[in-house]
Amino acid sequence: MPAGDRQVFDAHLHIIDPRFPLIENDGYLPPAFTVEDYRRRTSALGVTGGAVVSGSFQGFDQDYLVEALRRLGEGFVGVTQLPVSVTDEEIARLNAEGVRAVRFNVRRGGSETLDHLETLARRVNEVAGWHTELYIDARDLPDLTPVLRTLPAVSVDHLGLTEDGLPHLLSLVDGGAHVKATGFGRVDLEVTKAVQAVVAANPRSLMFGTDLPSTRARRPFHEDDIRLLTDAVGPEHAQAVLHDNAAAFYRV
C-alpha cells in the first residue's frame, strides 16, 4: 500500500515534553519527544490520528497529556494512568479533553496496581465509556484472564511481548480483546507469525501503532515495520489494521 494511498491511526505513541515533570524509572529518563518531533517523524506515514499513551516515567501527571492532545488536535485521543482514588469528576474532565482509556503498566510500573484492576476498569467505563489497556508480558495473562474476560473492553500492548505468551494472548482475543501491533523492536517473538495468528482469531482485533519514540526498545520504529505488517496481514486486512480497527476502538 503506497504511503500516499493509506490512512493510519497510530494506536500507540508517546509525547515527552520536558516542560512537564518526569519520574526516573529504574534509572531511566527518556529524552524529549515533543508534538513537533512527532509530527516531523511521521509526516510521510499518512497519520490522521492516534492515541497518546502515558508512560511509566509520567506517572499520574495529566497536564502533559491534556496539553499534547490540545496541540495534536482532531483525531488524537489519550490513554492515561490513574490512581484508584481518582474522582468521577476528574474522569469526566479528562474524557472531555479526549482521554479514552486507562492503562495498567505491569511491565514498567508507574500506574495503579493490578489489585485495583477490576474496580478502576469498571468505574472508568461506567463514568466515561473508557476501555482498559495493559502493558504486560502475555505469559502473565492466565492469572488475570478470568477478570479480563468480564471487563467491557481490553487491549494488550506490543503483541504481548513474548512467543511463550502468544497462546494466552490469543485466548484473550477469542474473548474479544484487542491487540496492538506495536514495538516490533522490543518483542521476543516472530512478528509475522503473531500478527497473522491474531488476525485469524479476530480480524477486528489488531491495531497498528508506531510506539514512537520507542523508549528503551532494542530497535526503534522504522517505516519498514509498516511494510512488514501489511505484508503479513494481506491487502484484505491492511486498512483495518492500520486505521479502521483502532479508530473504532478509540471512538474517533
Side-chain angles (χ1 to χ4, degrees):
M1 182 183 296
D5 295 338
R6 69 181 175 225
Q7 283 188 315
V8 171
F9 186 95
D10 185 353
H12 197 98
L13 66 108
H14 302 284
I15 298 297
I16 302 160
D17 190 329
R19 296 177 302 161
F20 297 91
L22 295 172
I23 302 166
E24 188 174 285
N25 182 277
D26 291 332
Y28 175 80
L29 279 175
F33 189 73
T34 64
V35 167
E36 290 73 22
D37 293 329
Y38 176 76
R39 284 176 171 152
R40 282 193 295 268
R41 183 67 178 80
T42 60
S43 61
L45 297 186
V47 172
T48 60
V52 181
V53 178
S54 289
S56 60
F57 40 79
Q58 286 156 328
F60 298 136
D61 176 40
Q62 309 302 328
D63 292 339
Y64 99 89
L65 182 57
V66 169
E67 174 68 8
L69 293 178
R70 288 175 177 173
R71 296 179 71 185
L72 285 164
E74 186 177 359
F76 286 86
V77 298
V79 178
T80 195
Q81 297 166 161
L82 293 172
V84 72
S85 59
V86 65
T87 64
D88 290 354
E89 290 77 15
E90 176 68 354
I91 296 169
R93 180 186 77 85
L94 293 172
N95 184 68
E97 294 286 357
V99 178
R100 293 294 179 265
V102 65
R103 190 186 199 209
F104 288 81
N105 192 330
V106 184
R107 178 78 165 181
R108 298 290 187 187
S111 67
E112 186 54 270
T113 66
L114 290 176
D115 293 341
H116 300 293
L117 169 63
E118 184 171 14
T119 298
L120 187 54
R122 290 193 180 281
R123 189 148 70 87
V124 298
N125 185 263
E126 290 168 0
V127 172
W130 294 2
H131 66 265
T132 297
E133 304 200 354
L134 296 170
Y135 182 18
I136 189 171
D137 187 324
R139 291 176 294 187
D140 297 326
L141 284 174
D143 289 342
L144 299 177
T145 296
V147 170
L148 294 176
R149 284 187 180 275
T150 69
L151 298 181
V154 172
S155 72
V156 177
D157 295 347
H158 309 319
L159 296 168
L161 293 173
T162 59
E163 188 80 29
D164 290 344
L166 185 58
H168 307 307
L169 180 70
L170 295 175
S171 176
L172 206 60
V173 170
D174 285 336
H178 282 62
V179 176
K180 293 189 181 184
T182 53
F184 295 171
R186 67 173 75 247
V187 301
D188 293 312
L189 49 72
E190 184 182 338
V191 170
T192 295
K193 172 186 172 183
V195 300
Q196 288 175 340
V198 172
V199 168
N202 183 350
R204 293 181 297 277
S205 171
L206 197 65
M207 308 181 296
F208 165 74
T210 62
D211 188 35
L212 284 169
S214 307
T215 56
R216 287 189 276 201
R218 295 187 301 274
R219 173 184 67 77
F221 166 78
H222 190 275
E223 285 76 1
D224 286 345
D225 291 343
I226 296 180
R227 180 178 294 115
L228 185 156
L229 177 62
T230 55
D231 285 350
V233 303
E236 66 271 30
H237 298 298
Q239 190 57 51
V241 171
L242 290 179
H243 179 276
D244 298 349
N245 290 345
F249 192 56
Y250 284 98
R251 297 178 285 130
V252 173

